[in-house]
Amino acid sequence: MPTPPDLRARAERFRELHHQSAPLVLANVWDVASARIVEEAGYEALATTSAGVAWMLGYPDGQRISRDEMLGVVARITSAVRVPVTADLEAGYGPGPEDVAATVRGAIEAGAVGMNLEDSTEDPSTLFDIAAQTKRIAAGRAAADAAGIPFVINARTDVVLHQIGEPESRLREVLRRLAAYRDAGADCLFAPGVRDVETIATLVKELKAPINILAIPGIPTVAELASLGVARLSLGGGLMRAALECTRRLVRELRASGDTTPIASTPLTHMDMQQLFAR
């Protein structure tokens, strides 16, 4: 798939969207059809979900998919939409700084203008140490700068998500890690699992950088996140799971009742889908 000719402009626009009064809401997509539907709904940028792409291709989540397969899906999505696309590229598909640099170069070639980079290792109970992760982030930043693209690195720590360490020390560790990641060249900072107002406010105040929040049960509303100064809200794999839950419900109801009406009469018609891909 060809790299979009306006990639630098898309990247600049994506960077700008992290510095507005309301959070940038990213409805994470997993294929071209979901990307076109989200774009048509008026979203100013798209993100991929690594879990959703992996599941779509038959892999479990957790960097079981290869870099090339992941970037192949990203390239299909970026070539089918006009808005900026950032890619969830897990832990960069390799432990070393050179692996992250290669992933950044591949993402740019695929037409992405940003990426998530997490600090989880293959063992979910273990994170890269801070020194190693900052070298990885710095290598990704250098690769993007060499390409001449203002690529947005969203540095993620999984301290809260994987419940690393004692509960009373987790916020301190999140702050320590994300500050180091910011200083190594990350543009946006992400601590999935954080949900309470006090912790979110502390992240915004202490880190003084764009903060990404994951949509999980119990988080504040978009308006409340805006008042807290949050820059970005991601749905993660939630949108795909919601779509699949709808599918599961419909097929179970069909099996139980024999009534095809709920499926056959969906308001999203065959023609609607054809028109999504007409351009």
Side-chain angles (χ1 to χ4, degrees), residues 11-24 152 186-188 208-211 229-232:
E12 289 171 346
R13 176 57 181 155
F14 186 60
R15 185 174 289 273
E16 290 171 0
L17 290 171
H18 289 73
H19 301 279
Q20 54 185 2
S21 57
L24 168 62
V152 174
D187 307 283
C188 189
K208 296 179 173 58
I211 299 298
V230 169
R232 175 166 155 173

Side-chain angles (χ1 to χ4, degrees), residues 2-188:
T3 299
D6 60 343
L7 186 62
R8 183 174 180 82
R10 291 191 190 194
E12 289 171 346
R13 176 57 181 155
F14 186 60
R15 185 174 289 273
E16 290 171 0
L17 290 171
H18 289 73
H19 301 279
Q20 54 185 2
S21 57
L24 168 62
V25 178
L26 293 170
N28 301 69
V29 301
W30 58 94
D31 62 8
V32 173
S34 58
R36 290 290 293 113
I37 286 171
V38 172
E39 182 185 36
E40 185 192 47
Y43 286 76
E44 296 182 274
L46 302 179
T48 64
T49 159
S50 61
V53 173
W55 295 332
M56 187 255 300
L57 293 178
Y59 296 95
D61 187 23
Q63 205 159 258
R64 306 294 184 87
I65 188 174
S66 70
R67 176 196 288 131
D68 288 347
E69 287 178 291
M70 181 65 78
L71 290 178
V73 175
V74 172
R76 285 187 173 276
I77 290 170
T78 64
S79 68
V81 299
R82 297 188 177 103
V83 297
V85 177
T86 184
D88 184 350
L89 299 177
E90 306 189 87
Y93 304 106
E98 67 280 3
D99 298 307
V100 174
T103 297
V104 168
R105 288 191 293 268
I108 291 170
E109 290 171 5
V113 297
M115 68 178 283
N116 282 7
L117 180 64
E118 61 196 48
D119 57 10
S120 286
T121 66
E122 292 184 0
D123 176 2
S125 66
T126 305
L127 307 182
F128 284 103
D129 65 51
I130 292 178
Q133 187 67 358
T134 54
K135 289 178 182 177
R136 284 158 40 84
I137 292 168
R141 176 83 279 139
D145 292 347
I149 299 297
F151 190 81
V152 174
I153 296 176
N154 187 36
R156 165 179 151 174
T157 184
D158 286 343
V159 170
V160 177
L161 186 67
H162 295 322
Q163 300 183 15
I164 305 295
E166 296 302 318
E168 61 272 14
S169 67
R170 285 178 193 150
L171 177 57
R172 184 167 62 253
E173 181 65 6
V174 166
L175 290 169
R176 190 167 75 100
R177 283 179 171 270
L178 291 184
Y181 300 168
R182 176 201 62 203
D183 294 345
D187 307 283
C188 189

